[in-house]
């Protein structure tokens, strides 16, 4: 996986999907050029996630937001025999199954009709904002790369590792506004 900020580029060969986000703010921060991988594996050399998610699933943040609210790229790992709780997200999601198979289960909120869409490696899907859904697996795992156009975490101008861990007379610089650099 990779992140290429602001500009034209050519991608020749390979498989995957491109998640492009137009910078709409005047923030000085932007994405950092990143080439990374491979994905995390467990002791048995099977794909896994770093962070607990829901219902036995896990995830790994692959590309972090440079500033709170910016896009995020995640790897989601679904072990065998998962039946996720129906849930929504406050923004749309795009994903690609990179390994394994499962289903995306959508319940129509009006008719209560259930739709189970089969997912397998190489398939790309989109989940609209606030759309109730869940993922299920049977005997196989499923691994998904998911693009989130926004985030609810990340550094801010006054809350980030450098300012938080700068200590002046026993007090974090994040708690001393008079010495914090002001952005113009």
């Amino acid at each position: 996986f990779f992140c290429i900020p602001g500009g034209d580029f050519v991608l020749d060969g390979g498989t995957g999907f491109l998640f492009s986000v137009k910078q709409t703010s005047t923030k000085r921060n932007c994405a950092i050029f990143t080439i990374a991988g491979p994905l995390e594996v467990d002791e048995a050399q099977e794909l896994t996630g770093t962070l607990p998610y829901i219902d036995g699933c896990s995830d790994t943040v692959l590309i972090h937001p440079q500033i709170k609210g910016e896009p995020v790229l995640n790897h989601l790992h679904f072990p065998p025999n998962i039946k996720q709780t129906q849930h929504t997200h406050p923004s749309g999601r795009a994903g690609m199954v990179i390994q394994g198979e499962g289903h995306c289960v959508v319940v129509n909120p009006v008719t209560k009709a259930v739709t189970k869409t089969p997912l397998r490696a190489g398939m790309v899907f989109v989940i609209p904002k606030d759309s109730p859904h869940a993922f299920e697996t049977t005997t196989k795992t499923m691994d998904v790369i998911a693009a989130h156009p926004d985030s609810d975490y990340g550094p801010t101008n006054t809350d980030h590792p450098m300012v938080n861990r700068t200590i002046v007379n026993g007090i974090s610089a994040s708690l001393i506004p008079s010495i914090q650099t002001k952005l113009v």
Side-chain angles (χ1 to χ4, degrees), residues 128-145:
K129 172 184 175 178
D130 297 323
S131 177
H133 67 282
F135 291 98
E136 294 181 355
T137 58
T138 54
T139 60
K140 295 185 179 180
T141 63
M142 181 171 67
D143 292 277
V144 170
I145 300 298

Side-chain angles (χ1 to χ4, degrees), residues 6-106:
D8 296 328
F9 67 96
V10 175
L11 183 62
D12 187 14
T15 60
F17 75 102
L18 176 66
F19 177 61
S20 176
V21 177
K22 182 178 179 182
Q23 186 171 350
T24 57
S25 71
T26 57
K27 295 175 188 168
R28 297 190 316 184
N29 290 32
C30 65
I32 303 291
F33 181 87
T34 306
I35 298 176
L39 296 177
E40 185 173 5
V41 295
D42 62 17
E43 304 81 31
Q45 298 301 302
E46 298 290 332
L47 288 179
T48 189
T50 302
L51 304 168
Y53 181 38
I54 64 171
D55 299 319
C57 303
S58 58
D59 77 288
T60 300
V61 180
L62 301 176
I63 298 179
H64 291 261
Q66 289 300 304
I67 199 161
K68 186 175 181 177
E70 294 294 327
V72 176
L73 189 70
N74 276 23
H75 163 234
L76 300 170
H77 175 71
F78 303 89
N81 304 308
I82 289 296
K83 289 194 182 300
Q84 264 192 338
T85 303
Q86 283 281 314
H87 60 280
T88 64
H89 301 287
S91 57
R93 301 289 190 257
M96 179 177 181
V97 180
I98 61 167
Q99 179 175 286
E101 59 186 49
H103 289 88
C104 182
V105 181
V106 176

Side-chain angles (χ1 to χ4, degrees), residues 166-173 176 179:
T166 295
I167 310 300
V168 178
N169 297 322
I171 299 172
S172 168
I176 311 172
I179 68 169

Side-chain angles (χ1 to χ4, degrees), residues 103-141:
H103 289 88
C104 182
V105 181
V106 176
V107 178
N108 183 306
V110 176
T111 66
K112 306 297 183 210
V114 177
T115 304
K116 288 178 89 169
T117 303
L119 298 172
R120 59 189 169 280
M123 293 181 76
V124 174
F125 60 88
V126 174
I127 298 171
K129 172 184 175 178
D130 297 323
S131 177
H133 67 282
F135 291 98
E136 294 181 355
T137 58
T138 54
T139 60
K140 295 185 179 180
T141 63

